[in-house]
Amino acid sequence: LDASGALVQRGIADGSMHRSSLVLRSSRKLLSPSLPPPHLLPSTLRLPLSTGALRSLSTQHFKASNTVHPLLPQKQYLAMEREMADKTGRQQNHIWSKDELDSALATFSDKHVPETLSDKVMHGFMYYGLYHPFNFITGYTHHDPSPSSLVWRLIVLESFAGVPGFVAAGMRHFHSLRALERDYGWIHTLLEEAENERMHLLTCLSMFQAGPVTRLMCIGAQFSMTPFLMMIYVVNPKAMHRFVGYLEQTACETYHNVISHLETPGTRLHAEWSGLPAPEIAKGYWKLPDDATWLDTLRCIYADESHHRDVNHTFASMASDDPNPFVHMHKEDAARAWKLEQAQRLLREHRHGSSASST
């Protein structure tokens, strides 16, 4: 038990850095290409960005700010070719700690203000062409929403949310093959996003049944929006990432509102959902404890959506051939998930051994 307890504590400590934090150098001396890659540097030289710094990065290209890109420009990226070729844990989801969940929930009102013409077009299309009509169709209201209006809303939302990441990853994959050029690590983050959204969908489906109308809406959304997103990515990749950033903003608004009402006695959501346990798929995916609730699951889903919001607004502010600043986080997530899995395994073995000895 002591060993497993120590392992749990060590795993949490090693993975305490927020998923959207970035690795920074503390001086220009640290920019020397002869130094080891960032994840091998001493912990004193790896500084996580604050939430405010992350928000500034998500709306401003690093070349126009005082923030150093964590993977540096292309030449330094290529100098780390062996490290970048290691695909370990590139699609591992982040396992959220309680402090990280609380920090993420505090950012629900963070919104990107449209600046360029394409930003304004994507913002208008998202909010007035999709968000408000979707609220009307599903019967969703911000004040005391009904569980029935949310069931098919969440299923349709997550069914569609898994499309853009896969479209963007596919388009960048084909461009890399066609142009005989590197992708600079974007594909991994985009594929992880698409898989993460698909897991959100499967989690919702493990709790609720999708009726014929819901299934029809999912099919219609996929068949209509996939060609639209592909066309946008061919013409203006930044516009599609900005669109996804706005999409994730609405998802954060929805999930935060659901969580708030679920935690408030007297609301319809509290009456019907407050006692629901977390589904088994959620316990495995986010490494939740056995007594986790549906509320715990929704908090994790919200945190994922807030990360997608920040990632896509960041991508929309970068050039398409800039190195992906989120690559190292996938490895950190994989290491943290493995440690937590080993800790849970040791704890189960200890409990099983104690139970067997007592009998």
Side-chain angles (χ1 to χ4, degrees), residues 84-116:
M84 293 298 100
D86 181 5
K87 309 300 182 184
T88 303
R90 292 296 173 90
Q91 291 190 42
Q92 169 65 48
N93 64 298
H94 186 73
I95 308 302
W96 300 96
S97 68
K98 183 180 183 303
D99 289 341
E100 289 174 329
L101 290 173
D102 293 339
S103 298
L105 284 166
T107 68
F108 78 96
S109 60
D110 288 2
K111 292 181 174 60
H112 175 269
V113 178
E115 299 176 353
T116 66

Side-chain angles (χ1 to χ4, degrees), residues 351-359:
R351 289 174 176 173
H352 178 73
S354 300
S355 176
S357 61
S358 64
T359 57

Side-chain angles (χ1 to χ4, degrees), residues 17 19-23 37-39 69-71 77 80-92 183-190 192 307 311 315 318 322-335:
M17 184 167 59
R19 176 176 183 156
S20 296
S21 61
L22 300 178
V23 180
H39 76 287
H69 191 291
L71 292 185
Y77 179 94
M80 297 187 294
E81 185 170 27
R82 181 170 180 174
E83 180 194 5
M84 293 298 100
D86 181 5
K87 309 300 182 184
T88 303
R90 292 296 173 90
Q91 291 190 42
Q92 169 65 48
D183 170 68
Y184 295 101
W186 290 46
I187 292 175
H188 310 293
T189 298
L190 294 169
E192 190 278 328
H307 176 66
V311 166
F315 282 168
M318 295 170 59
D322 284 333
N324 175 13
F326 303 99
V327 167
H328 285 295
M329 297 178 193
H330 299 304
K331 292 187 178 182
E332 294 172 359
D333 289 342

